[in-house]
């Protein structure tokens, strides 16, 4: 082979090699847009909890005895405590005594009305108002009282009062459907204007 032929052959080989190099470095591999998989991190969390609300404690007046049953009418006696004057009214404690053999509870207001000598109701029931309700626990022989406020009839006109004399006070103990009564000789108004009122039960005789 002549020198010129050998030079031409080497030049051709160089051109072929350059073409192969260009082909192997094409844009297909350099510009491929492959998106890597998204990995969501796993987090450990405690389930949400709604804080529980503690029940509001019911106030109690007793720390020496405990009971879960309400005082029923057959296990209670009723008497009137010593009356006191206050701002144109007479305050009478309605005294309940546990005459049963087991502790029991009273809570809230008694129902109170007035009866004439024929045991017929006169006027309207006493309004249940004022004071704070709380459980009163009575052991055998223990007492609780509710303050009955009776307006003085002399503070009203005849038409506004319509005075009558109560011979009995009729009482429903709290949550009971049977009554107990006590004798009295009490002038009362029989109108809404001169309506009596009663407070919730508290421990003791109220005297």
């Amino acid at each position: 082979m002549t020198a010129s032929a050998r030079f031409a052959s080497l030049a051709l080989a160089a051109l072929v090699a350059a073409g192969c190099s260009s082909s192997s470095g094409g844009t297909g591999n350099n510009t491929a847009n492959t998106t890597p998989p998204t990995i969501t991190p796993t987090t450990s969390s405690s389930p949400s909890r709604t804080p529980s609300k503690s029940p509001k404690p019911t106030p109690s007046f007793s720390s020496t005895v405990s009971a879960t049953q309400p005082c029923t009418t057959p296990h209670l006696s009723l008497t009137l405590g010593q009356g006191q004057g206050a701002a144109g009214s007479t305050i009478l404690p309605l005294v309940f005594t546990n005459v049963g053999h087991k502790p029991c509870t009273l809570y809230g207001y008694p129902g109170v009305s007035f009866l004439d000598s024929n045991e017929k109701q006169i006027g309207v029931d006493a309004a249940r108002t004022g004071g704070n309700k709380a459980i009163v626990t009575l052991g055998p022989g223990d007492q609780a009282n509710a303050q009955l406020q009776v307006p003085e009839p002399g503070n009203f006109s005849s038409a506004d009062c319509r005075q009558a004399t109560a011979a009995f006070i009729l009482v429903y103990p709290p949550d009971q459907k049977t009554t107990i009564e006590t004798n009295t000789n009490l002038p009362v108004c029989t109108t809404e204007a001169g309506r009596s009122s009663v407070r919730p039960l508290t421990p003791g005789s109220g005297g």
Side-chain angles (χ1 to χ4, degrees):
M1 182 180 293
T2 66
S4 60
R6 200 167 38 246
F7 178 79
S9 177
L10 291 173
L12 179 61
L15 289 173
V16 171
C20 289
S21 176
S22 175
S23 175
S24 63
T27 59
N29 290 335
N30 292 336
T31 60
N33 185 14
T34 58
T35 304
T38 301
I39 299 176
T40 303
T42 301
T43 58
S44 176
S45 62
S46 301
S48 78
R49 296 180 180 177
T50 302
S52 59
K53 294 182 178 180
S54 299
K56 186 177 181 180
T58 302
S60 174
F61 280 119
S62 176
S63 60
T64 58
V65 294
S66 61
T68 57
Q69 298 298 319
C71 298
T72 59
T73 303
H75 297 128
L76 293 170
S77 68
L78 175 67
T79 56
L80 289 180
Q82 182 65 42
Q84 299 177 358
S89 298
T90 298
I91 305 295
L92 290 172
L94 303 174
V95 182
F96 297 84
T97 303
N98 179 6
V99 295
H101 301 294
K102 295 181 180 180
C104 59
T105 60
L106 291 170
Y107 176 76
Y109 299 89
V112 181
S113 57
F114 301 104
L115 308 179
D116 64 15
S117 58
N118 295 317
E119 297 199 8
K120 293 184 178 180
Q121 183 170 335
I122 53 176
V124 294
D125 298 345
R128 301 176 184 184
T129 183
N132 295 313
K133 295 191 296 183
I135 293 173
V136 181
T137 305
L138 300 180
D142 287 346
Q143 294 182 322
N145 77 93
Q147 301 285 315
L148 176 65
Q149 183 172 0
V150 182
E152 293 288 348
N155 293 333
F156 302 88
S157 68
S158 297
D160 287 339
C161 177
R162 293 185 222 161
Q163 180 177 333
T165 299
F168 304 94
I169 299 176
L170 183 72
V171 178
Y172 285 91
D175 300 318
Q176 298 298 303
K177 296 182 179 180
T178 53
T179 62
I180 47 180
E181 61 184 48
T182 184
N183 296 332
T184 189
N185 184 24
L186 184 67
V188 297
C189 291
T190 60
T191 61
E192 188 69 32
R195 188 178 186 181
S196 297
S197 62
V198 64
R199 289 178 172 265
L201 285 150
T202 59
S205 63

